[in-house]
């Protein structure tokens, strides 16, 4: 993930590579300014992950989508320590940390795109052939529910198999489970 030209720090590069573990993207509105984005390498593309907000009273606020960003385990990774230094210096009103006015007014972030529920669609596959008809206008009609069924329509065939296999039809019995005991039973010590 990269920091674009959003923050200018004296003597530092404008691109900052950082690790963003277990994070979420943010929906940023004015007066907040997105300063870190996911970039073009990760999904979702160019979505804000950190925002700065300066109140008229002089107070400052930094919001990130991951609380793990500055943990001890992730701080030495990539340039997270430098990122922490920039954030803390901006919170402390350091004069070397200046927001780029052009990027602050028009940040280069994409709108949030909703994705259909892929998991439920993947659980209902439908066979297809190479040469098929023109797909219908309502694509939801392609997903069929009759491929998956839980009912009792196969019970008569199952009962008929007992006769074909010359087996007695007995009711099912419960098999008692046997649990392994890695240690012997505990007994209280008596003196």
């Amino acid at each position: 993930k990269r920091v674009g030209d959003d923050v200018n720090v004296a003597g530092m590069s404008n691109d900052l590579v950082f690790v963003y573990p277990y994070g979420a993207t943010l929906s940023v509105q004015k007066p907040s300014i997105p300063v870190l984005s996911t970039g073009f390498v990760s999904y979702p593309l160019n979505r804000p992950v950190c925002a700065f907000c300066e109140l008229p009273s002089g107070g400052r606020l930094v919001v990130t989508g991951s609380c793990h960003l500055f943990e001890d385990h992730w701080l030495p990774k990539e340039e997270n320590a430098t990122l922490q230094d920039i954030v803390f210096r901006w919170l402390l009103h350091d004069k070397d940390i200046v927001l780029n006015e052009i990027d602050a007014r028009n940040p280069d972030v994409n709108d949030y795109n909703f994705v259909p529920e892929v998991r439920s669609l993947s659980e209902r596959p439908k066979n297809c052939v190479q040469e098929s008809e023109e797909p219908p206008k309502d694509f939801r009609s392609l997903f069929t529910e009759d491929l998956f069924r839980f009912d009792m329509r196969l019970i008569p065939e199952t009962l008929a198999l007992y006769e074909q296999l010359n087996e007695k039809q007995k009711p099912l019995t419960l098999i008692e489970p046997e649990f392994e005991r890695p240690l012997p039973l505990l007994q209280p010590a008596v003196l």
Side-chain angles (χ1 to χ4, degrees):
K1 292 162 175 83
R2 294 191 171 276
V3 176
D5 295 327
D6 301 314
V7 180
N8 291 330
V9 182
M12 290 190 184
S13 169
N14 286 338
D15 286 342
L16 185 68
V17 179
F18 61 99
V19 178
Y20 187 69
Y22 313 111
T25 60
L26 305 174
S27 293
V28 181
Q29 298 176 354
K30 300 274 185 199
S32 300
I33 302 166
V35 291
L36 299 178
S37 68
T38 57
F40 62 89
V41 179
S42 60
Y43 184 81
L45 303 175
N46 295 327
R47 291 291 299 151
V49 293
C50 180
F52 288 180
C53 180
E54 187 165 7
L55 302 174
S57 63
R60 289 185 170 183
L61 176 69
V62 174
V63 177
T64 65
S66 174
C67 62
H68 300 282
L69 187 61
F70 301 126
E71 283 185 353
D72 292 339
H73 178 71
W74 299 103
L75 208 52
K77 309 285 187 201
E78 301 296 335
E79 296 180 72
N80 282 20
T82 306
L83 178 62
Q84 178 194 26
D85 182 50
I86 292 171
V87 168
F88 288 173
R89 286 170 57 193
W90 184 80
L91 285 170
L92 295 171
H93 298 274
D94 189 341
K95 300 297 181 201
D96 290 337
I97 308 292
V98 179
L99 294 179
N100 186 327
E101 282 298 319
I102 296 171
D103 287 332
R105 275 187 268 125
N106 298 319
D108 186 23
V109 293
N110 293 344
D111 292 334
Y112 187 73
N113 294 324
F114 291 98
V115 178
E117 190 176 355
V118 177
R119 180 177 174 217
S120 67
L121 293 177
S122 69
E123 292 172 352
R124 295 185 282 169
K126 186 174 180 179
N127 296 334
C128 63
V129 291
Q130 279 189 326
E131 295 180 18
S132 64
E133 304 166 357
E134 185 71 25
K137 291 185 180 182
D138 183 15
F139 72 92
R140 290 176 287 177
S141 65
L142 294 174
F143 300 106
T144 177
E145 298 288 336
D146 61 347
L147 292 176
F148 304 96
R149 183 176 294 176
F150 186 74
D151 58 16
M152 301 175 69
R153 64 185 171 94
L154 295 177
I155 290 179
E157 292 178 34
T158 307
L159 295 176
L161 284 175
Y162 279 108
E163 292 178 18
Q164 290 177 3
L165 297 173
N166 296 324
E167 287 290 323
K168 280 186 167 180
Q169 185 178 348
K170 297 183 267 184
L172 296 176
T173 59
L174 178 66
I175 300 172
E176 292 188 22
E178 294 181 22
F179 298 104
E180 293 181 19
R181 289 188 216 144
L183 300 173
L185 295 173
L186 297 177
Q187 295 179 351
V190 180
L191 299 176

